[in-house]
Amino acid sequence: MTSIGGAEMVDWNLAVATATRLVRPGPEISREEARAVVAELRRHAKASEEHVRLFTRMIPEGTEPEDTPVLVVDRAGWIKANAAGFRELLRPLLAKMESRRPGGPGGAVLGAVGGKVTGVELGMLLSFLASRILGQYETFAPATRELPGSADGGGGGRLLLVAPNIVHVERELDVDPHDFRLWVALHEETHRTQFTGVPWLRDHLQGEIQTFLDETDVDPMTFLERLREAAQSLSGAGRPEGERGEESGRSLVDIVQTPAQREVLGRLTAVMSLLEGHADFVMDGVGPEVVGSVAEIREKFQRRRAQGAGRLDQALRKLLGLDAKLRQYKDGEKFVRSVVEEVGMDGFNRVWTSPNTLPTKAEIAKPAEWVARVHRTAES
C-alpha cells in the first residue's frame, strides 16, 4: 500500500493478530465431531447448488457458471479472509488519506503510531464480528494459497462457512443441527448463484463501493477517532448516558458520510437489500422441500436476529450499521416476495438484466413501482 515514511495507515498484520487473540473461543466440540460438521457443511453446500438453481432459475440449463470454492473455516480463518478483503476495498481510500497526512513531527508520529493504533482497533472490531457471521460469499479479497479464490485466478469468488459459529447458533436455538446447517448453506449458496450467474454484478457493486469511498472527505485523525468510538463500545468505555450527543445514534457509515455520498449509499442500500432479501426468500422457499423444520428454524432465528446478545451487542451493532443490515433482510425479502407474487419468478429475474433494472431504494419499499418501471415499460 501507499505509505509515508514506511508506515501504513493500518497495520493489517497487527489487526489480524489482535482479532485472533481476542476472538471468543468456539463451542466445545470433539475432534471427531468437528470433522463430521465440516464434512456435512461441504455436502450441504454442494447439494444447495442444485436446489438454488432449480428454485431461482437464474442459471439456464446447460450453462456452467464460474467455478468458485467452498471453504469451511474457523473464526481465525474468517478474520484473515475479511482483513484481506477490507484491505483491498479500502486501498484507494487509505492512499488518499496518506496523501493528506500532515508533514513534520506530527505526521511522523501519526505514521509511527497511527497504523498500530488503528490495527489494534480494527482487530477488536473483527474479533466481535468473527463470532457472529455464519457464512458469506466473498467477492473482493485476493486469492491466497491458504484461502483460494475462483478457478480463473481472478481472486475472490469463494464461499465461506464458519463452522464454530454455525454449531454455536444451532445449539443456542435448540434446533435440528442437520436441518440448520443445510438452511444456512442455502442462504449462502444463493449469494454464490447471484454473483456467478450475473457476470456484471461483482464489478457493478465494486464500482459503487469505490465511488462511495472516493467521495469520502475525512482526514486521518477523524478516521482514527471513528474507529476508536467503535472500539470503545466493545469495552463499555463510551461516553456516559447523559453526555451522548446527536451522533451517538448514528452508525459509523453515517458519521463519515458526506452529502455527495448519499446518492451512492442509497443505491448500495438498495442492492444489498435485494441480495440479502433474495437469499432469505430462497432459503425459505426451498426449505419446505428439503428442510423439515424450516418453520421452527426461521421463527427462532428471526427472534435471535432482532434481540441481539445484550445491550453492548446492540450498541455496537448500531454503531457499525448492522441494524441497517437487519432491515435489509426484512425489506429486501418483502420486495422479492411481492414481485414474485405479481409477475412470477421469471418476471422477477428481470432484475438481473443490467444495473438499470436493479431496484432503487424507493422501489425496495414499493415493489409495484419497480414492476411498473421494468415490466410495463418493456411491454409498452
Side-chain angles (χ1 to χ4, degrees), residues 24 128 132 230 232-237 239-242 244 248 306-320 323:
R24 297 174 182 175
F128 171 83
R132 287 157 174 78
Q232 285 174 343
S233 295
L234 284 169
S235 60
R239 287 169 288 180
E241 189 78 30
R244 292 176 186 164
S248 65
Q307 292 174 346
R311 291 186 63 186
L312 177 59
D313 182 79
Q314 291 171 358
L316 189 58
R317 286 192 330 184
K318 187 174 187 65
L319 181 60
L320 294 176
D323 280 349

Side-chain angles (χ1 to χ4, degrees), residues 17-71:
T18 300
T20 303
R21 185 176 68 253
L22 294 179
V23 71
R24 297 174 182 175
E28 291 187 11
I29 187 171
S30 69
R31 183 171 299 182
E32 292 74 18
E33 187 180 0
R35 281 198 291 260
V37 170
V38 170
E40 183 174 17
L41 286 172
R42 286 177 176 152
R43 289 196 305 272
H44 285 330
K46 183 64 179 176
S48 294
E49 289 185 43
E50 188 66 18
H51 294 313
V52 171
R53 287 190 194 185
L54 288 174
F55 185 82
T56 64
R57 301 203 289 274
M58 288 179 63
I59 299 175
E61 288 188 30
T63 302
E64 281 301 319
E66 178 187 18
D67 183 25
T68 57
V70 175
L71 306 178

